[in-house]
């Protein structure tokens, strides 16, 4: 059956643009503009089919632009058509080849339609997860965005008090706990704290929080207030503490609202996570707990879509670039970063913990640091490529993960930890050698002199 390639330049707010060619690269009908609705998709399908005489299969090719690709993918899957995606850099390079100084929707769509002919390996079928996995993945992304907002608000609050009352946030065990936030709401003005005095300040602190304030908290806060008073004595023309108090109140309200929303999102994540992965076998892998488990499950979805370990690693973007020429091959190149950034971040965090508990992963980390001279980050990235295979295997086999020693024999957590500490601990000298250093004036001269003396 002949396949008709339909390159679709997706528009977020504007109409989509389609270019249609056959398997030989010949244009078979005029271009079409259509909306991202069922009527629009039906229109472009009928427009193509009326220009062919025999039964054909339609192949839609697009870039993953925003979420505009999703309605098209659902339509194509539902009607038995193919839906393929192309990496933006690939289509960009082909468009530049066609016309270096021209950028248009028509040219973009044509470059997409030509991709299967120019380089078949550059396109891949769009994967649509089931509704539960899709919801889980979207909720995990939402939680990450909210977490970043919370961190940003806390940073602004800490930065403000750093110049208003230096050292104030360090006085609290939890600078964003219930007692600390209650203090921020009323006492941004250091002169107000000074007027309150240590005794009354201690009484105020006792009324906030469920537990008794830590010993010496009132004294530490009072000293921070005194430092602030010394800084801003007779500076009323430059700073308005009442206005600063209102600013802090707004930040605290934002922080509280974001934390409440985060709790609701966490509840939704736990609900979808239980539906999608009731056994929670993925959490038996060292480094993966109740926080990272839903993230991995939402991103990977159906593990069967990866036919090999190499494809699973390639999707993560954690594999290094390759540059060979003649008989030479460059080593130590940067990773490709092709996959989702959330996936790489989660893999890095999980791998840094897993190499401390899994002897086989600890061996990979040890070899990278000691024998190959790589830094900590490079070694953890190397561990990540091995961790990916373990995640995929656990999900495919639907069984818990089992720790094994260097001879592939089962081992307990306690014995694994002892083995790593005894045989696979990276020496501190190696860490110092691989740790980046600031090259000060005369560094190169002194470095060469030191080598010569040896």
């Amino acid at each position: 059956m002949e396949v008709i390639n339909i390159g679709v330049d997706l528009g977020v707010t504007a109409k989509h643009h389609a270019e249609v060619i056959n398997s030989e690269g010949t244009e078979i009908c005029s271009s079409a503009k259509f909306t991202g609705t069922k009527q629009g998709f039906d229109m472009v399908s009928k427009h193509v089919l009326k220009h062919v005489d025999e039964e054909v299969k339609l192949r839609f090719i697009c870039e993953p632009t925003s979420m505009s690709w999703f309605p098209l993918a659902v339509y194509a899957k539902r009607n038995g058509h193919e839906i393929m995606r192309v990496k933006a850099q690939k289509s960009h390079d082909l468009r530049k080849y066609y016309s270096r100084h021209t950028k248009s929707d028509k040219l973009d769509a044509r470059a997409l339609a030509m991709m299967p002919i120019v380089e078949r390996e550059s396109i891949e079928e769009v994967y649509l997860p089931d509704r539960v996995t899709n919801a889980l993945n979207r909720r995990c992304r939402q939680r990450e965005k909210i977490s970043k907002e919370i961190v940003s608000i806390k940073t602004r609050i800490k930065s403000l008090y750093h110049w208003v009352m230096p050292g104030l946030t360090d006085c609290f065990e939890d600078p964003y706990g219930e007692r600390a936030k209650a203090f921020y709401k009323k006492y941004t003005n250091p002169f107000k704290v000074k007027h309150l005095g240590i005794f009354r300040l201690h009484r105020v602190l006792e009324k906030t929080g469920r537990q008794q304030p830590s010993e010496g908290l009132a004294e530490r806060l009072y000293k921070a207030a005194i430092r602030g008073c010394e800084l801003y004595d007779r500076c009323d023309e430059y700073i308005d503490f009442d206005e600063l108090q209102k600013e802090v109140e707004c930040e605290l309200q934002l922080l509280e609202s974001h934390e409440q929303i985060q709790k609701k999102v966490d509840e939704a994540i736990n609900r979808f996570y239980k539906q999608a992965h009731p056994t929670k076998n993925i959490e038996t892998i060292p480094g993966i707990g109740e926080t990272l488990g839903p993230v991995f499950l939402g991103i990977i979805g159906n593990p069967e879509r990866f036919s090999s370990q190499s494809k699973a690693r390639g999707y993560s973007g954690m594999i290094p670039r390759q540059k060979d020429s003649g008989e030479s091959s460059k080593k130590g190149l940067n990773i490709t970063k092709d996959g989702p950034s959330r996936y790489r971040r989660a893999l890095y965090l999980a791998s840094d913990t897993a190499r401390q508990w899994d002897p086989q992963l600890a061996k990979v980390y040890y070899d990278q640091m000691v024998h190959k001279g790589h830094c900590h980050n490079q070694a953890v990235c190397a561990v990540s490529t091995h961790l990916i295979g373990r995640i995929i295997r656990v999900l495919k086999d639907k069984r818990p993960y089992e720790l094994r020693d260097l001879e592939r024999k089962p081992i307990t957590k306690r014995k694994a930890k002892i083995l790593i500490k005894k045989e696979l601990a990276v020496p501190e000298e190696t860490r110092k050698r691989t740790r980046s250093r600031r090259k000060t004036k005369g560094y190169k001269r002194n470095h060469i002199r030191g080598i010569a003396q040896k």
Side-chain angles (χ1 to χ4, degrees):
M1 182 184 297
E2 185 181 3
V3 178
I4 303 298
N5 297 317
I6 306 175
V8 182
D9 181 57
L10 297 172
V12 179
T13 56
K15 290 185 176 181
H16 307 326
H17 189 105
E19 291 289 324
V20 186
I21 64 173
N22 59 18
S23 57
E24 297 177 354
T26 305
E27 186 176 303
I28 62 173
C29 65
S30 60
S31 58
K33 290 187 176 182
F34 58 100
T35 59
T37 62
K38 183 179 183 302
Q39 291 76 16
F41 299 145
D42 285 337
M43 183 273 289
V44 73
S45 299
K46 292 177 181 177
H47 175 68
V48 174
L49 293 173
K50 72 180 182 181
H51 288 85
V52 293
D53 298 329
E54 55 186 24
E55 186 178 354
V56 296
K57 189 171 187 178
L58 302 185
R59 176 193 288 156
F60 292 93
I61 307 166
C62 64
E63 293 177 7
T65 305
S66 183
M67 282 298 289
S68 300
W69 62 272
F70 189 78
L72 177 61
V74 172
Y75 174 84
K77 294 277 188 181
R78 187 173 56 200
N79 290 276
H81 306 313
E82 289 186 10
I83 175 70
M84 314 295 287
R85 64 185 292 268
V86 179
K87 294 175 183 177
Q89 188 59 48
K90 288 283 188 179
S91 60
H92 172 268
D93 293 342
L94 184 57
R95 175 173 56 79
K96 283 292 184 183
Y97 170 78
Y98 282 133
S99 181
R100 181 175 296 273
H101 304 292
T102 303
K103 169 74 168 69
S104 66
D105 294 343
K106 180 179 178 66
L107 189 57
D108 289 342
R110 180 162 182 81
L112 289 168
M114 289 293 294
M115 269 298 171
I117 301 172
V118 176
E119 188 183 4
R120 182 65 178 84
E121 291 76 15
S122 64
I123 65 173
E124 58 183 10
E125 187 175 1
V126 171
Y127 164 71
L128 285 179
D130 60 80
R131 56 186 294 180
V132 175
T133 306
N134 185 28
L136 175 63
N137 189 32
R138 292 189 62 81
R139 285 294 194 170
C140 287
R141 281 192 289 181
Q142 186 181 40
R143 189 190 191 282
E144 185 172 347
K145 291 178 181 178
I146 295 172
S147 298
K148 288 181 179 179
E149 287 294 328
I150 291 175
V151 171
S152 179
I153 294 170
K154 289 181 177 179
T155 302
R156 288 198 298 269
I157 293 173
K158 187 172 184 177
S159 177
L160 185 144
Y161 282 110
H162 182 68
W163 62 268
V164 172
M165 283 186 277
L168 177 72
T169 56
D170 296 332
C171 296
F172 295 96
E173 294 181 359
D174 182 1
Y176 306 102
E178 184 179 350
R179 178 170 285 113
K181 288 190 288 188
F183 180 86
Y184 300 153
K185 285 180 181 179
K186 292 184 178 181
Y187 300 105
T188 300
N189 188 341
F191 295 96
K192 190 175 179 180
V193 180
K194 180 181 179 181
H195 177 73
L196 197 65
I198 295 179
F199 179 75
R200 283 192 294 173
L201 178 58
H202 183 74
R203 295 291 298 273
V204 169
L205 294 172
E206 283 183 334
K207 294 178 181 179
T208 59
R210 298 179 180 179
Q211 299 178 347
Q212 287 292 321
S214 60
E215 185 178 354
L217 176 60
E219 288 78 5
R220 293 194 299 271
L221 293 175
Y222 187 76
K223 288 180 181 179
I226 295 298
R227 289 194 294 268
C229 292
E230 292 171 351
L231 278 173
Y232 300 110
D233 187 26
R234 292 174 295 178
C235 294
D236 293 343
E237 60 178 316
Y238 302 115
I239 184 169
D240 186 346
F241 285 107
D242 293 334
E243 180 57 33
L244 277 178
Q245 185 66 69
K246 294 177 182 177
E247 181 181 340
V248 170
E249 289 175 4
C250 291
E251 295 290 350
L252 291 173
Q253 288 175 7
L254 284 172
L255 178 60
E256 186 177 354
S257 64
H258 278 74
E259 288 176 341
Q260 290 176 355
I261 295 172
Q262 189 181 54
K263 289 181 180 178
K264 293 181 180 179
V265 174
D266 286 339
E267 291 174 359
I269 289 175
N270 292 332
R271 184 173 66 255
F272 291 125
Y273 183 42
K274 289 179 181 178
Q275 294 179 37
H277 192 48
T279 61
K280 296 187 178 181
N281 287 332
I282 195 172
E283 294 184 16
T284 61
I285 302 175
I288 301 179
E290 59 183 9
T291 300
L292 292 181
V295 175
F296 284 121
L297 198 68
I299 294 173
I300 294 173
N302 183 8
E304 299 297 337
R305 66 188 178 112
F306 299 109
S307 58
S308 64
Q309 298 256 347
S310 60
K311 288 187 177 180
R313 292 172 180 173
Y315 177 73
S316 70
M318 295 295 283
I319 59 175
R321 300 176 186 273
Q322 186 175 356
K323 190 173 183 180
D324 298 338
S325 178
E327 297 181 358
S328 64
S329 177
K330 286 191 175 182
K331 303 295 184 182
L333 298 178
N334 295 333
I335 58 177
T336 62
K337 297 184 180 181
D338 280 343
S341 58
R342 296 186 306 116
Y343 193 17
R344 293 192 298 276
R345 184 161 48 251
L347 280 170
Y348 183 91
L349 293 173
S351 300
D352 196 23
T353 302
R355 56 99 182 171
Q356 302 176 48
W357 292 93
D358 190 322
Q360 294 183 356
L361 297 180
K363 181 67 166 58
V364 175
Y365 179 82
Y366 182 86
D367 289 340
Q368 292 287 320
M369 293 282 289
V370 177
H371 299 147
K372 297 185 179 180
H374 291 165
C375 67
H376 170 77
N377 289 346
Q378 290 174 311
V380 173
C381 288
V383 173
S384 297
T385 60
H386 292 262
L387 183 65
I388 294 167
R390 285 159 167 75
I391 295 172
I392 298 297
R393 179 50 55 195
V394 165
L395 293 178
K396 282 187 176 181
D397 294 350
K398 299 179 180 180
R399 60 178 175 82
Y401 183 74
E402 187 177 55
L403 284 176
R404 293 180 179 271
D405 60 16
L406 302 181
E407 298 178 355
R408 303 184 63 83
K409 296 179 181 179
I411 189 173
T412 63
K413 287 185 178 181
R414 183 174 177 275
K415 290 183 178 179
K417 190 69 175 178
I418 295 174
L419 173 63
I420 294 171
K421 188 175 181 179
K422 184 178 179 181
E423 300 182 15
L424 300 172
V426 177
E428 185 60 30
E429 296 77 13
T430 302
R431 293 191 181 278
K432 290 181 179 179
R433 176 168 49 83
T434 59
R435 195 174 293 138
S436 61
R437 299 181 181 86
R438 180 178 296 177
K439 295 184 179 180
T440 57
K441 187 176 181 180
Y443 169 83
K444 186 175 181 180
R445 181 178 64 253
N446 296 333
H447 181 65
I448 295 174
R449 186 182 299 169
I451 294 176
Q453 290 176 354
K454 291 180 180 179

